Amino acid sequence: MTATLESTSPANGDVLGVVPEADEAAVARAVEAAKAAYEEWRLVPAPKRGEILYRFAQVLEREKAALTDLMTREMGKVKAEAGGDVQEAIDMSYYMAGEGRRLWGQTTPSELQNKFNMSVRVPVGVVGAITPWNFPIAIPSWKLAPALVCGNTVVLKPAEDTPLLAQRFVELLGEAGLPDGVVQIVHGYGETAGAALVRHPDVPIITFTGSRETGILVTKEAADNLKHVHLELGGKNAIIVLEDTDLELAVEGIVWSGFGTSGQRCTAASRVIAHAAVYDELQSRLVARAEKMRLGPGWEDDTDIGPVINRTAIEKIHSYTKIGRDEGAKLLTGGEVATDGDLAKGFYYRPTVFADVDARMRIAQEEIFGPTVSLIKVADFDEALRISNGIKYGLSSAIFTQDVNKAFRAMRDLQAGITYINAGTTGAEVHLPFGGTKDTGNGHREAGQAALDVFTEWKSIYVDYSGRLQRAQIDNT
Ligand code: NAD
């Protein structure tokens, strides 16, 4: 009997569906099929590949409401955010469709007469794509749209918590006209299906989004085959609030970035670094807002915060509440699992605010991935920058200020792949590079033109039309 994987809703425990679970042999079959499809797909003209992505964007638009609803059930985020997740995939597909008519290389003069030089992008081969559950439609699109337009084929191993959304994503690619075999999907756990994909010798490139710890494992595993490894990992993002700012706007930004998606975004703001002059006022406004938020299933219109993804996640989040208390931080609100009425059927955690947090505490250093915000008081702007940078991650950063000089210094000095001025830490758009510095990754970027560098290799081409042997560096003197 084939093993299966069950998808259950974090909102109420409902079983939503079942998918086949891939073992090592199933992963190998998927790789073989993607390898066979590669020989034809790489020769499909890039504009034609782009047209399929364009149709895929249209299909996603048609299916947006259904995918949004499924996402509120399978992943748990609230309707507006789930719609945004699908929209991001629509935007990415339209954007990468256009790349089919660009994918520019360079032409450049030769040092020799009657010789032509150019560089072109070539696909890498079979891409192994491993994705997390927190952006179950958007993240597969960040990887698959550029990979496909560049001429690669893909084996997708989505997160075990959101298999149905990933399955639907791949089915819709087929509806949009993607030839059979070009994208394969294998469901299963990271340690089995994921690891088998990373190990497979016919997969020359792994694109991985997930935790720092898994990213390190993947890198080590891929090293034996000298694979390309593209990593998008965790964050511990901060919002700086200076004394001259519009406080209400800052609170809006903190609520959206700290509690949106129940804090389960890689770009979530889990630290707020506030100037002493506004610290007390900010604290009371934030607590008031947090206490008004309504927890519930994401598909209900008046829900502000949906569930977190599973039991392990809620236990981890709650363990950090204990850690914060033990470290001496002051719990202002939240800090507990919500179990009133039907909430007991799901995994709901109250929005949590800690004050008097020292920047060295574990709650201010480690990724919690839940609706927990730590407030850190600072005396001046320089201290704020130092604390914002004083972590191992470098994904997103933000500052609220009306002072243009400080805003520009922040843009220069914040050690992160993304900086927002007068906005929270979330809100990336698909045509700019996305990713982080330090332990958030390994120097690559997703989205925008930068994604093309992940999914292609450069080939330099020299065409000599002189009719004789011309030796570079020798015959040009
Ligand atoms: P995770 O690392 O546990 O899992 C991510 C994926 O890796 C899943 O598909 C999982 O099955 C797979 N996996 C696990 N172990 C594996 C192994 N040994 N070999 C191969 N694959 C393996 O992460 P998660 O809990 O699903 O996601 C949350 C993390 O992702 C957070 O740290 C978050 O910050 C990060 N994230 C980063 C970005 C970004 O773009 N920087 C975006 C979203 C999420």
Side-chain angles (χ1 to χ4, degrees):
M1 208 179 76
T2 353
T4 53
L5 196 70
E6 202 171 70
S7 170
T8 55
S9 174
N12 58 12
D14 279 359
V15 175
L16 302 172
V18 179
V19 292
E21 184 189 339
D23 56 11
E24 184 143 11
V27 171
R29 283 194 298 277
V31 172
E32 202 179 318
K35 195 178 167 195
Y38 175 66
E39 286 313 319
E40 280 190 28
W41 181 245
R42 74 185 177 87
L43 299 179
V44 172
K48 294 280 167 221
R49 298 194 297 250
E51 281 168 24
I52 294 172
L53 288 178
Y54 192 91
R55 283 199 293 280
F56 180 53
Q58 292 175 314
V59 170
L60 285 175
E61 279 178 332
R62 190 195 71 206
E63 293 296 313
K64 184 174 174 181
L67 288 167
T68 298
D69 183 66
L70 179 58
M71 200 181 301
T72 63
R73 290 165 204 282
E74 191 178 41
M75 183 274 162
K77 62 175 79 171
V78 299
K79 220 188 284 182
E81 293 174 9
D85 193 311
V86 179
Q87 188 59 44
E88 207 160 321
I90 295 169
D91 296 346
M92 181 60 86
S93 303
Y94 277 131
Y95 176 77
M96 287 297 167
E99 275 310 320
R101 287 191 181 267
R102 286 187 294 268
L103 285 181
W104 285 316
Q106 300 103 24
T107 59
T108 180
S110 168
E111 63 188 41
L112 292 159
Q113 280 191 357
N114 298 323
K115 192 174 169 198
F116 181 84
N117 292 352
M118 64 183 158
S119 64
V120 295
R121 292 181 181 276
V122 293
V124 186
V126 178
V127 172
I130 300 177
T131 54
W133 45 266
N134 65 338
F135 282 89
I137 293 289
I139 291 182
S141 83
W142 296 357
K143 298 186 181 309
L144 269 63
L148 293 173
V149 82
C150 290
N152 304 281
T153 56
V154 181
V155 178
L156 170 64
K157 205 303 278 174
E160 49 272 33
D161 287 294
T162 49
L164 301 182
L165 285 159
Q167 187 69 38
R168 204 60 203 119
F169 182 90
V170 171
E171 284 165 10
L172 295 175
L173 272 168
E175 260 186 55
L178 192 74
D180 283 350
V182 171
V183 169
Q184 304 284 323
I185 184 164
V186 288
H187 296 288
Y189 295 94
E191 300 73 18
T192 50
L197 188 56
V198 174
R199 270 198 308 271
H200 200 292
D202 290 337
V203 178
I205 166 171
I206 298 293
T207 173
F208 171 84
T209 299
S211 65
R212 173 185 176 275
E213 291 62 35
T214 312
I216 291 170
L217 283 178
V218 165
T219 306
K220 287 183 177 163
E221 195 71 64
D224 284 341
N225 287 305
L226 291 173
K227 295 187 183 208
H228 300 197
V229 179
H230 162 229
L231 302 175
E232 297 292 342
L233 310 175
K236 188 69 188 175
N237 316 293
I239 294 178
I240 297 174
V241 182
L242 294 186
E243 67 278 26
D244 62 12
T245 197
D246 171 350
L247 217 49
E248 207 40 46
L249 179 65
V251 171
E252 286 289 332
I254 296 164
V255 168
W256 173 237
S257 302
F259 302 135
T261 318
S262 306
Q264 304 170 108
R265 296 169 177 147
C266 49
T267 53
S270 58
R271 299 181 297 154
V272 172
I273 303 169
H275 191 280
V278 291
Y279 182 85
D280 289 344
E281 179 63 20
L282 181 74
Q283 169 175 316
S284 56
R285 289 197 201 188
L286 183 60
V287 168
R289 284 291 299 273
E291 290 180 348
K292 274 209 208 91
M293 297 185 93
R294 185 183 169 277
L295 278 78
W299 59 84
E300 287 181 3
D301 283 331
D302 55 351
T303 296
D304 297 309
I305 299 198
V308 299
I309 190 69
N310 55 31
R311 185 172 305 285
T312 312
I314 208 162
E315 285 171 3
K316 177 180 170 195
I317 293 162
H318 196 49
S319 78
Y320 273 98
T321 297
K322 179 172 181 329
I323 290 168
R325 279 185 158 136
D326 291 349
E327 285 177 312
K330 190 165 139 200
L331 180 65
L332 297 179
T333 187
E336 56 180 16
V337 179
T339 52
D340 14 319
D342 279 352
L343 295 184
K345 294 184 190 159
F347 304 112
Y348 297 90
Y349 204 77
R350 294 205 188 284
T352 300
V353 181
F354 273 110
D356 300 346
V357 175
D358 183 289
R360 288 159 302 188
M361 290 178 180
R362 284 183 62 193
I363 56 167
Q365 289 286 328
E366 297 172 15
E367 188 180 44
I368 300 172
F369 227 52
T372 305
V373 171
S374 291
L375 298 179
I376 303 169
K377 192 194 293 190
V378 289
D380 57 35
F381 175 55
D382 287 319
E383 188 184 2
L385 285 181
R386 216 170 32 249
I387 288 179
S388 185
N389 289 338
I391 43 155
K392 62 183 169 213
Y393 297 105
L395 184 50
S396 188
S397 57
I399 183 167
F400 282 88
T401 181
Q402 302 295 317
D403 182 334
V404 70
N405 296 346
K406 287 185 177 140
F408 268 87
R409 276 193 57 202
M411 288 182 232
R412 185 191 63 193
D413 294 339
L414 285 171
Q415 296 164 355
I418 306 169
T419 294
Y420 292 91
I421 308 297
N422 291 325
T425 50
T426 62
E429 299 178 28
V430 301
H431 49 300
L432 273 78
F434 180 92
T437 62
K438 301 196 273 188
D439 283 14
T440 293
N442 57 352
H444 300 284
R445 289 293 182 272
E446 208 136 45
Q449 299 264 311
L452 306 178
D453 292 331
V454 170
F455 295 109
T456 55
E457 297 203 77
W458 283 112
K459 174 183 276 196
S460 299
I461 299 176
Y462 302 94
V463 183
D464 193 316
Y465 54 98
S466 69
R468 59 199 167 88
L469 180 70
Q470 300 195 88
R471 296 167 302 174
Q473 292 90 42
I474 296 172
D475 293 333
N476 63 342
T477 50

